[in-house]
């Protein structure tokens, strides 16, 4: 395991141990919902169902269709969410607690 991988593993372990990983996941989830990401994916699902017809769409079809779009749009929104001053104020002090 290289040094980067070791560092990532150590940070991830600390995040899990302190409960910060779950807190950050919840914060990210809330921010994505707040900025309309969930609504965009819901609208995309409705479009797919309308195009293909309800009888011709399975849950697997929807998952296969929206997963790439969800990842793409979600990752595209991350810099805005992280740079948001409110989020930044919440996130920046946290790492110091991990090292203690």
């Amino acid at each position: 395991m290289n040094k980067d991988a070791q560092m990532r593993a150590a940070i991830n372990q600390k995040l899990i141990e302190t409960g910060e990983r779950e807190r950050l996941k919840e914060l990210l989830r809330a921010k994505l919902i707040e900025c309309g990401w969930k609504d965009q994916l819901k609208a995309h699902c409705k479009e797919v169902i309308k195009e293909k017809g309800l009888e011709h769409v399975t849950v697997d079809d929807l998952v296969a269709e929206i997963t790439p779009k969800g990842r793409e749009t979600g990752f595209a929104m991350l810099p805005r969410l992280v740079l948001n001053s409110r989020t930044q104020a919440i996130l920046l002090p946290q790492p110091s607690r991990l090292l203690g």
Side-chain angles (χ1 to χ4, degrees), residues 9-20:
I11 291 170
N12 193 43
Q13 185 61 35
K14 279 290 192 184
L15 286 170
I16 291 168
E17 289 171 4
T18 61
E20 288 299 304

Side-chain angles (χ1 to χ4, degrees), residues 73-92:
T73 57
F75 287 132
M77 290 178 179
L78 279 177
R80 277 193 322 204
L81 297 176
V82 172
L83 293 176
N84 175 299
S85 60
R86 182 168 171 242
T87 306
Q88 193 175 30
I90 293 168
L91 293 176
L92 287 179

Side-chain angles (χ1 to χ4, degrees), residues 31-48 62 65-78 80-81:
K31 290 295 182 181
L32 286 170
I33 290 169
E34 184 181 302
C35 72
W37 178 79
K38 183 178 176 183
D39 293 333
Q40 287 175 1
L41 291 183
K42 190 175 185 179
H44 186 61
C45 284
K46 288 180 179 181
E47 287 173 25
V48 170
L62 283 176
E65 183 81 29
I66 68 165
T67 298
K69 184 176 179 76
R71 286 184 178 150
E72 178 184 314
T73 57
F75 287 132
M77 290 178 179
L78 279 177
R80 277 193 322 204
L81 297 176

Side-chain angles (χ1 to χ4, degrees), residues 1-13:
M1 188 182 290
N2 68 27
K3 210 167 195 162
D4 272 355
Q6 287 176 336
M7 180 63 82
R8 265 190 228 119
I11 291 170
N12 193 43
Q13 185 61 35

